[in-house]
Amino acid sequence: MTERDSRALRSAQVPRRRRRYSEAEKKAILAEASAPGPLDGKVFVVTGANSGIGFEAVRGLAGAGAHVVLACRNEALANEAMGRVAAEHPKASLEFGALDLADLGSVRAFAAAFREKRPHLDGLVNNARSEEHTSEL
């Protein structure tokens, strides 16, 4: 047997049987799924949260139990995104925060409003970009 043949044999996929769960195992799985998430009580801010990678970050964080502030320029798009996340995760804790990273006054206002409501921030997903501050090569 050549080296190439042995590699092909090792990498061959073996069909797997689907596991059958007992009623007790099913109940345990359902109980675990309804248990508090690993991020319960944590507060995250996600910039550019109404689409793309920011939206996916919101979905993941909300699904894990975090309170997520969607920091976006457009409130209507943020509300639409929150509706989609809430449809997928009915217990999601979401809020909109007006933020335009191209306007430092908006950044200051967002920070001041956040500090009034929340004693701390556990995580920031700084996803949004500012068109005004990009440069060309």
Side-chain angles (χ1 to χ4, degrees), residues 3-68:
E3 176 66 28
R4 182 175 162 197
D5 292 337
S6 64
R7 275 187 294 183
L9 185 59
R10 283 193 305 263
S11 67
Q13 291 186 356
V14 177
R16 295 181 184 219
R17 285 189 170 164
R18 231 177 155 178
R19 179 162 186 235
R20 295 186 188 265
Y21 294 98
S22 70
E23 288 303 313
E25 288 174 314
K26 288 178 186 177
K27 286 181 183 178
I29 290 169
L30 288 174
E32 185 178 326
S34 63
L39 297 179
D40 275 2
K42 303 293 184 186
V43 179
F44 285 80
V45 171
V46 180
T47 66
N50 59 323
S51 65
I53 293 171
F55 176 74
E56 295 302 323
V58 171
R59 283 181 60 220
L61 291 167
H67 175 78
V68 185

Side-chain angles (χ1 to χ4, degrees), residues 3-134:
E3 176 66 28
R4 182 175 162 197
D5 292 337
S6 64
R7 275 187 294 183
L9 185 59
R10 283 193 305 263
S11 67
Q13 291 186 356
V14 177
R16 295 181 184 219
R17 285 189 170 164
R18 231 177 155 178
R19 179 162 186 235
R20 295 186 188 265
Y21 294 98
S22 70
E23 288 303 313
E25 288 174 314
K26 288 178 186 177
K27 286 181 183 178
I29 290 169
L30 288 174
E32 185 178 326
S34 63
L39 297 179
D40 275 2
K42 303 293 184 186
V43 179
F44 285 80
V45 171
V46 180
T47 66
N50 59 323
S51 65
I53 293 171
F55 176 74
E56 295 302 323
V58 171
R59 283 181 60 220
L61 291 167
H67 175 78
V68 185
V69 179
L70 287 80
C72 304
R73 290 178 296 175
N74 187 319
E75 186 172 2
L77 292 176
N79 286 332
E80 180 185 321
M82 287 191 289
R84 289 186 291 162
V85 172
E88 185 178 343
H89 303 290
K91 294 182 180 179
S93 177
L94 306 166
E95 105 183 58
F96 167 74
L99 175 64
D100 181 357
L101 293 176
D103 177 5
L104 291 179
S106 172
V107 174
R108 287 186 194 97
F110 175 84
F114 183 88
R115 272 184 278 158
E116 284 180 18
K117 289 183 182 179
R118 309 268 170 220
H120 69 281
L121 174 65
D122 294 297
L124 169 66
V125 179
N126 199 10
N127 171 65
R129 67 176 189 178
S130 170
E131 294 293 330
E132 191 170 306
H133 296 291
T134 58

